[in-house]
Amino acid sequence: MSFTHVAIIGLGLIGGSVGLAIQQHLPGVRTSGFDRDPDVRRRAADLGLVGQMHDSAAAAVAGADLVILCVPVGAMGTAARDMAPGLGADAVISDVGGSKVAVTQALQAALPGRCIIPAHPVAGTENSGPEAGFATLFRQRWCIITPPADAPADRVAALVKLWEDLGAMVECMDAAHHDMVLAVTSHIPHLIAYTIVGTASDLEQVTRSEVIKFSAGGFRDFTRIAASDPTMWRDVFLNNSDAVLEMLDRFLADLAVMRGAISEGDGQAMFDLFSRTRSVRRSIVAFGQDDARPDFGRGDHGKDQN
Amino acid sequence: MSFTHVAIIGLGLIGGSVGLAIQQHLPGVRTSGFDRDPDVRRRAADLGLVGQMHDSAAAAVAGADLVILCVPVGAMGTAARDMAPGLGADAVISDVGGSKVAVTQALQAALPGRCIIPAHPVAGTENSGPEAGFATLFRQRWCIITPPADAPADRVAALVKLWEDLGAMVECMDAAHHDMVLAVTSHIPHLIAYTIVGTASDLEQVTRSEVIKFSAGGFRDFTRIAASDPTMWRDVFLNNSDAVLEMLDRFLADLAVMRGAISEGDGQAMFDLFSRTRSVRRSIVAFGQDDARPDFGRGDHGKDQN
């Protein structure tokens, strides 16, 4: 089987990008959409993010054989209940949320007996809203699918195929493992970035203007991540707290070791860590998950290089 | 006055970029150079990083009215002593090191009575070595100059002018303040990045392959910084430990607050922090210190955007 009509609920960066990507890569597939914010609905319609915009979630999902919920993870249950009256009996319900155990539970509670196959495309930018979406967001990025044990194999295969058609590489794993992996590759980096940007903003000895001026020493990289959508990230931390706290405590233990090395002037401990982290970067570039150019190929360095 | 002959000691990313930038922007100024590694000397000569390569530091600085030490901050004292026999009586000695109190002390101890005007261009990439240098590295970046109280005004003005000619914006401040500012805008971000990349590499629950695959969720940004030169960064932490520890403890206190918010499910505390950090990013982009395009304009998102 393959999907012929995809409904998208929530038309921000990810929902909008899904809509555009389906229209570009799968022109034979119908797309319909809804966002609970009337202003977002109007802008998304003007941008053509989906083929048909609707004024209610129930109307948007009517006739769809796949519904993708693209709302913050804390809003999944409500979004699912709102659309339920319009949902066809055989529709597959999926999502794009950054935590999977909590979202799976919320969807199963809201839609008992339905075919629910959660997913998470590991892709995004620091921008949000319907204008931030673009059709190539998922290209060469991984999408993790976390099928419950009783998910029908043909439906799972169809969802895998859909994401591959949008340019993604797909891996299936169980929801709890996803939450642990993403805690370290995404949630802790965001928490750290938000926190250090907050710390830097609150100093008395260093002015905010100095922090901004001299940010090219490394800090500016963290501000990009710390500009991500606040609602989305609040919900991720509220809905993946166990894994985040476990990974955070490991990071804090490692940071305490480095604090000790600095305090005691143990240069060897620093050199050992700083040497071995280089190879992780090389692997990420080698596996196509980042730009090989220095400084991400940023505009100010990517041109006129010697 | 203005400088007519600049000697560069140490020909890695920064030294090589200084040499190329002077040759591009100030073709009337002579450049000479030395690196204590014979292999780097040969590669730097092949790359034309300076006009004249020498086989000793003393020979490289002979006749120079400005010497710029571009070696790790822990090597400044030794590099200064090595070149002393060739140094002219009126030569200005400067550097590019990332910590300024310790470097100023090391240079004053090695070269008593000399005109020492430390400097720090806040620019770089994650790459190192002579091949990493390029002439436009300093363009639109800040260079901080920390003149000691007795530095002659005309020499300070000439150094300011040189960095401006290389494309930089210059700010003068005292060395201790520099060390506090850079602790927060550069040193702590590097320490955090090195540590989290180390933490992620050592997990049992999550494989290294998973960390690499799913790094686009935020982690990959940290790996770029954690690929920076290990010797340079070891020396920075050994030579700015007081300011780094002070800033690290503030960050740890703020992170403990966020840990508590996650543990207690306090979404409002998270939302408040995540909302106010967005404005810092906007300021950095507005002040020309980062690329305005989403995701730094990375290759995979910068093209074909919708």
Side-chain angles (χ1 to χ4, degrees):
Chain A
M1 73 157 293
S2 60
F3 299 112
T4 60
H5 176 180
V6 181
I8 301 167
I9 306 298
L11 290 161
L13 166 67
I14 304 295
S17 296
V18 171
L20 291 168
I22 292 176
Q23 293 179 78
Q24 177 173 313
H25 294 285
L26 298 166
V29 173
R30 285 181 59 188
T31 52
S32 56
F34 172 75
D35 193 287
R36 66 171 190 166
D37 181 335
D39 185 50
V40 169
R41 277 208 297 279
R42 201 189 56 247
R43 285 146 62 199
D46 288 348
L47 291 159
L49 300 185
V50 291
Q52 179 72 49
M53 189 69 66
H54 293 271
D55 284 333
S56 77
V61 303
D65 44 15
L66 172 65
V67 178
I68 305 181
L69 294 165
C70 303
V71 301
V73 294
M76 292 285 179
T78 302
R81 275 184 292 272
D82 286 349
M83 74 184 184
L87 207 56
D90 294 328
V92 172
I93 296 97
S94 189
D95 76 307
V96 296
S99 74
K100 297 268 67 96
V101 171
V103 167
T104 305
Q105 288 168 350
L107 294 181
Q108 286 174 341
L111 302 168
R114 296 292 193 151
C115 179
I116 292 162
I117 310 176
H120 176 207
V122 185
T125 77
E126 66 274 29
N127 295 339
S128 47
E131 289 79 11
F134 53 100
T136 58
L137 177 62
F138 310 109
R139 203 165 61 185
Q140 275 193 281
R141 294 282 85 85
W142 287 88
C143 180
I144 300 173
I145 298 182
T146 59
D150 60 354
D154 64 333
R155 302 295 195 279
V156 174
L159 191 62
V160 168
K161 178 73 166 49
L162 179 95
W163 279 105
E164 288 176 347
D165 286 340
L166 304 190
M169 301 167 289
V170 175
E171 184 149 314
C172 290
M173 62 178 73
D174 79 77
H177 188 62
H178 166 279
D179 287 0
M180 195 65 83
V181 171
L182 270 289
V184 68
T185 63
S186 178
H187 307 171
I188 294 295
H190 277 76
L191 183 68
I192 291 170
Y194 277 124
T195 303
I196 184 68
V197 175
T199 303
S201 308
D202 293 343
L203 297 171
E204 305 87 46
Q205 306 104 309
V206 180
T207 67
R208 195 165 157 136
S209 157
E210 288 174 323
V211 166
I212 289 162
K213 269 185 184 171
F214 307 120
S215 61
F219 180 76
R220 63 177 174 164
D221 286 34
F222 290 64
T223 65
R224 186 189 77 78
I225 290 182
S228 301
D229 185 64
T231 303
M232 173 192 152
W233 281 98
R234 176 200 63 196
D235 280 7
V236 165
F237 292 115
L238 289 173
N239 287 283
N240 194 24
S241 55
D242 289 350
V244 165
L245 290 173
E246 180 174 342
M247 290 299 161
L248 179 58
D249 288 344
R250 282 169 177 268
F251 167 71
L252 287 169
D254 290 344
L255 193 55
V257 170
M258 292 315 295
R259 192 192 185 290
I262 293 171
S263 174
E264 291 154 25
D266 181 355
Q268 192 61 49
M270 297 177 206
F271 188 83
D272 290 347
L273 173 65
F274 302 171
S275 300
R276 96 191 151 79
T277 51
R278 278 197 142 173
S279 68
V280 177
R281 176 73 188 166
R282 290 195 193 104
S283 299
I284 286 174
V285 170
F287 283 91
Q289 292 306 298
D290 210 343
D291 202 310
R293 289 175 297 166
D295 218 1
F296 304 122
R298 268 181 173 115
D300 43 351
H301 289 143
K303 291 168 291 192
D304 306 329
Q305 277 201 28
N306 198 286
Chain B
M1 71 157 294
S2 61
F3 300 113
T4 60
H5 176 179
V6 181
I8 300 165
I9 307 298
L11 291 160
L13 166 67
I14 304 295
S17 296
V18 171
L20 290 169
I22 291 176
Q23 293 179 79
Q24 178 173 311
H25 293 284
L26 298 165
V29 173
R30 285 180 58 190
T31 52
S32 56
F34 171 75
D35 193 287
R36 65 172 193 167
D37 181 334
D39 185 50
V40 170
R41 278 208 296 280
R42 201 187 57 248
R43 285 147 61 200
D46 289 347
L47 291 160
L49 301 186
V50 291
Q52 180 71 49
M53 189 69 66
H54 293 272
D55 284 334
S56 77
V61 303
D65 45 14
L66 173 66
V67 178
I68 305 180
L69 293 166
C70 303
V71 301
V73 294
M76 291 285 178
T78 302
R81 276 185 291 273
D82 286 349
M83 74 182 185
L87 206 56
D90 295 327
V92 172
I93 296 97
S94 190
D95 76 306
V96 296
S99 73
K100 296 268 67 91
V101 171
V103 167
T104 306
Q105 288 168 350
L107 293 181
Q108 286 173 341
L111 302 168
R114 296 295 194 148
C115 178
I116 292 162
I117 310 175
H120 176 207
V122 185
T125 77
E126 67 275 29
N127 294 340
S128 47
E131 289 79 10
F134 53 100
T136 57
L137 178 61
F138 309 109
R139 204 165 61 187
Q140 274 192 282
R141 293 281 84 84
W142 286 88
C143 181
I144 300 174
I145 299 184
T146 60
D150 60 355
D154 64 333
R155 302 296 196 279
V156 174
L159 191 63
V160 169
K161 179 74 166 51
L162 179 95
W163 279 106
E164 287 176 347
D165 285 341
L166 305 190
M169 300 167 287
V170 175
E171 183 148 316
C172 290
M173 62 178 73
D174 79 76
H177 188 62
H178 166 279
D179 286 2
M180 197 63 82
V181 172
L182 270 289
V184 67
T185 62
S186 178
H187 307 172
I188 294 295
H190 276 78
L191 183 69
I192 291 170
Y194 277 124
T195 303
I196 184 68
V197 174
T199 304
S201 307
D202 294 342
L203 297 172
E204 306 88 45
Q205 307 102 310
V206 179
T207 69
R208 193 164 157 137
S209 157
E210 288 174 322
V211 166
I212 288 162
K213 269 185 186 173
F214 307 120
S215 61
F219 181 76
R220 62 177 176 165
D221 286 34
F222 290 64
T223 66
R224 186 188 77 77
I225 290 182
S228 302
D229 186 63
T231 303
M232 173 194 152
W233 280 98
R234 176 200 64 196
D235 280 8
V236 165
F237 292 114
L238 290 173
N239 287 282
N240 194 27
S241 55
D242 289 349
V244 165
L245 290 174
E246 180 174 342
M247 289 300 161
L248 179 57
D249 288 344
R250 282 170 178 268
F251 167 70
L252 287 169
D254 290 344
L255 193 53
V257 171
M258 291 315 293
R259 192 193 184 290
I262 292 171
S263 175
E264 291 154 25
D266 181 354
Q268 192 60 48
M270 300 178 204
F271 188 82
D272 290 346
L273 173 65
F274 302 171
S275 300
R276 96 192 152 80
T277 52
R278 279 197 142 173
S279 68
V280 178
R281 176 71 188 168
R282 290 196 193 105
S283 299
I284 286 174
V285 170
F287 283 91
Q289 292 306 298
D290 210 342
D291 201 311
R293 290 175 295 167
D295 217 2
F296 305 122
R298 268 181 174 117
D300 44 351
H301 289 144
K303 294 167 290 194
D304 306 330
Q305 275 201 31
N306 197 285

